[in-house]
Structure formats: C-alpha cells, structure tokens
Amino acid sequence: GRTLKKGVGLPVALFVRSATYGHLISLLRTRARSSNILRNEVMKDIPLLLITPQIGVRVLTKKMEQELLKIAARDLNPFQNLSIAHKTTLENTSEQQMQQKIEELLDLDTDNMRQMLTPEERGRIAGGFGATDESTIALLMEAKRKDSVTDSGVTSHNDQSNLQDIVNDGLAAAVRSSDYHTARQLLILYSIVATQSDEIDNLQEPDANGKNGLGRINKSGDVSRSFHTETGNFSDSIVKKEGSGELQKHQIMPPPPPLDTDRLRSATNSDGLLAVLGAAQVLRAMKDGGAEKRVYECVSAIDEWIEHGQNSIAFRLSSWRDQLAAQADLKIAMAHDSSFMAFISNKAITNRKLFARKLKDAVTTTNFQSLTFLKAICEIVSKMHNPCLRLELLQFILGLDNRFSVAHLARSVELAGSCLSIRVASIAGIEESS
C-alpha cells in the first residue's frame, strides 16, 4: 500500500506541454532516466502524453514514436539536453549533471528502434542523442558480424566496412550536437568491438575505479559509465605494467581499422571533439603505417636543420623569421611566439637535438602499432614547453592539422592510449577467467 516509506507508487504516465521536437526528445530521455532510477521494467513502456488546454490529452502512440525516431535519425539536427550541456563539457563537468546525462541514455535495442531504423540511423542516434553501452555494443557487434559474413562471401567494392560506416555516422552526429562524451564513447567501444567482438561480454575494468575507460558492462540494468570519466593517463596504468608477463604479450596488439575523420575535424573547434577525432586519427596513423613513415622523414629533416644551424647563425635567424611568419599566417596553435634568444643562443639546437634523439629512440625500440609508440609520443609531449618546429613535426607525424596545440596533442594521444589499453586489459581479464 501507500506509505510514507514506500511513497505513492510508480507514476502512471509522463507528459509534456508542447509538441516541439525538443520537448518530445526530452520526454524520451526522461522515460529512460525514470527507468534507470526506479529500476522497474514497467517504466520502459510507461505512457507518454501531450497535455495542452487547447487539445486536451493526446497519447504518443508507438507508431508516432517510431515516426519521431525516424525524423530524429534522418532529418533532425541532434542536440544535447540544454539544461545540463554546459555542465558536461571537457573543461567543466559537474558530477550531478554527468550522472543525469548517463541516466538519460536511450536504448537502441527497443522494438521501435530496431523495426524502424537502419543500423546507420541508430548510430546517428547514439552519437547525436546518446545511447547506453549495452545497446551500442549490440549495434556494433551486429555490424561486425555482417562484415564477417561479407568478407567470407561476396567481396565488397567499398573499402569501408559497415561497422566503420556506422561509427563514422555516429561521430558526425556527435560533432553536430557538439557532444564530446558520446563521441568518446563511440571511439572506445569501436576500438574494442572491431578486434574482439566474440569476447565482448567478458569485458573487465582496466583499473579499480574505471578511470581509463569503460566501467564494467553488465546485464543487470546498471547505468552505463563508458564515457563518465575523463581521459586518464594511460601510461600510469597499463604501459607502466609492460614489464610484467601477463600484459607484455598484449602490447603488440594493433589498433582497430582506421576511421576517416578528416572532414569531421575541419568541422569543429571544440576542444573535446578535437581530442576524440584526433585520437581516431592517431590510431589511423598507427594502423596504416603513416606514422612510422613520417617519423623517419622528421628525423632526417631535424638532423639536416641541426647540421645547418650549428654552422650558421644566419640560418638560425632565417629559421626564426620563417617560424614567426608561419605562426602568423597559418595560426599555428602555439602558446607563445618563437623566442628570438632561443635561436640566437644554442637553446633551439639543444631542444631539437633532444627531440631528434627521442624520435630516434622511438624508431629503434618501438612497435609503431602498440602502446609503446604512444608512450614514447606522450613522453615527448610532456617535456614540451614552448615548441615550434617540434610541435609542427609531431602534428605531421600523427597526421593532425595546425590547430592541435600541445594540450590537444596530449589529450588525443592519451585517449588513443586509453582505447588500446582498455583492449589490453579486457583481453587479460578474459584469459584469466578462461
């Protein structure tokens, strides 16, 4: 019965006062949040109403909800919950608002979603409006299985797989809604599913508090937390353990199949989204061999500059003027202009000698498709204070444009490392449990 302890029972319906797309999507999010908070299956099918003085009460029927989802996936510009969006950014995240964002994630596995939307459209819903880990993983695994059937049967003329198409569509929707967290979630889940789809149900946390990626994925209805935490320093958690036998053999795991994010990177100036799209590009450069090839080119270019710079102060001054012009014309993401005194003295030469030595060490000791490469880049970036040429060369090596400052590079490399380290940790957990 109704008591002060148990309350008055479950709500009988949820309603809005206007039929705008913003309010209707908010209604779907509220239903998802209510289901997560109250932990009751009934809430997943609770009636949704429109109540106004003019038309009275109208029910959002299953058919109308399906039409709403089709419009949201195909025609509607995606958007976040505006009441909490300003508190869930990369620079400013409130724990309370972040928890609400997670509770409002939509389920892509409902009958309405599966019957009315293509996999690509569900991917757009995941990136633009947000979806639970479990349903997003199910979507990606379904695409992975279809790709496997295609690979074993008919040869496709398209280099892009269905899985990559879905993730690219989802990332595009995340850019349109300016949602760093859903973009990060998609990249992490894609990195796992693309290479180990068969063991996805056995994913383990990379560390005790889930700092570096996914929380434990379960089937009990717990709120998903794949993008709850900030990008952690992967070198403190996984790479540091590379001397131990259990993870050493997993360090050479290659990155997932590359995603084409060039167009998306040019479409946003969001620090968070640049970090995610930059991480996707870093993984791509590792996978296709571009990073390895460009590292050798950079080592050769730096050695040549050092040789000329040691023998001619005029060359160093000319280099300084060229650097200033590049910073002004290209708006290269520098914290400060190039220091005149660094080029007059030997400081610029010393810095570049050290940079060249670290690159050479990375070339000789690093597998370019493993965590050790990212660790080497992370160590180089952490030692940079006011870089000019060194920053440009790292941008070139990783295939990033001149908007990527040292901070952007650090975030992108750390997130790419998180994607790989989560896969390493999950495989180690799978083998321990088998």
Side-chain angles (χ1 to χ4, degrees), residues 195-207:
T195 51
Q196 54 189 61
S197 57
D198 293 338
E199 290 98 353
I200 200 71
D201 288 335
N202 296 316
L203 286 175
Q204 303 292 322
E205 292 178 340
D207 56 25

Side-chain angles (χ1 to χ4, degrees), residues 167-421:
V167 176
N168 280 328
D169 281 350
L171 290 176
V175 169
R176 291 169 64 194
S177 65
S178 194
D179 197 330
Y180 152 72
H181 296 284
T182 57
R184 181 179 184 271
Q185 176 199 32
L186 277 172
L187 182 61
I188 288 177
L189 295 183
Y190 167 72
S191 298
I192 300 173
V193 172
T195 51
Q196 54 189 61
S197 57
D198 293 338
E199 290 98 353
I200 200 71
D201 288 335
N202 296 316
L203 286 175
Q204 303 292 322
E205 292 178 340
D207 56 25
N209 58 14
K211 178 181 178 182
N212 293 311
L214 296 175
R216 192 177 303 277
I217 299 175
N218 54 59
K219 307 300 181 184
S220 63
D222 289 346
V223 176
S224 27
R225 295 177 296 155
S226 72
F227 55 84
H228 188 192
T229 53
E230 297 298 332
T231 301
N233 188 342
F234 72 95
S235 60
D236 288 339
S237 59
I238 299 299
V239 179
K240 188 180 290 185
K241 299 179 183 178
E242 61 187 19
S244 62
E246 70 205 86
L247 290 181
Q248 180 67 30
K249 58 184 176 181
H250 299 300
Q251 298 298 313
I252 59 173
M253 283 188 59
L259 297 170
D260 185 4
T261 59
D262 294 344
R263 177 178 57 85
L264 296 179
R265 289 200 308 278
S266 65
T268 182
N269 286 316
S270 163
D271 288 342
L273 287 170
L274 283 176
V276 175
L277 299 175
Q281 171 57 32
V282 170
L283 294 172
R284 177 187 179 184
M286 294 170 64
K287 181 68 174 179
D288 63 15
E292 182 175 6
K293 177 182 177 181
R294 292 189 287 266
V295 164
Y296 286 107
E297 293 177 10
C298 287
V299 169
S300 176
I302 295 175
D303 285 341
E304 183 179 352
W305 188 94
I306 291 173
E307 181 180 354
H308 288 295
Q310 287 176 326
N311 298 324
S312 172
I313 190 173
F315 173 81
R316 298 204 300 271
L317 289 176
S318 174
S319 178
W320 171 71
R321 286 195 298 269
D322 291 343
Q323 194 71 56
L324 286 182
Q327 290 171 352
D329 295 342
L330 301 179
K331 295 182 172 57
I332 294 175
M334 308 290 184
H336 305 282
D337 288 336
S338 300
S339 170
F340 175 75
M341 290 306 300
F343 284 79
I344 288 293
S345 65
N346 289 325
K347 184 177 180 182
I349 295 176
T350 302
N351 287 340
R352 292 176 185 186
K353 277 184 177 179
L354 181 62
F355 180 68
R357 185 168 69 249
K358 288 182 178 179
L359 278 183
K360 291 175 183 176
D361 291 341
V363 167
T364 56
T365 63
T366 292
N367 182 315
F368 283 86
Q369 292 195 4
S370 72
L371 279 168
T372 53
F373 170 67
L374 292 179
K375 181 185 178 184
I377 296 297
C378 194
E379 288 177 351
I380 292 174
V381 171
S382 66
K383 298 295 193 301
M384 287 183 170
H385 299 295
N386 299 312
C388 300
L389 177 63
R390 290 171 292 156
L391 177 58
E392 287 185 74
L393 291 177
L394 278 183
Q395 292 166 347
F396 171 69
I397 290 171
L398 299 176
L400 301 172
D401 59 59
N402 54 31
R403 292 178 299 160
F404 280 77
S405 64
V406 173
H408 287 111
L409 273 177
R411 293 190 193 110
S412 296
V413 171
E414 287 177 0
L415 180 52
S418 293
C419 291
L420 292 184
S421 66

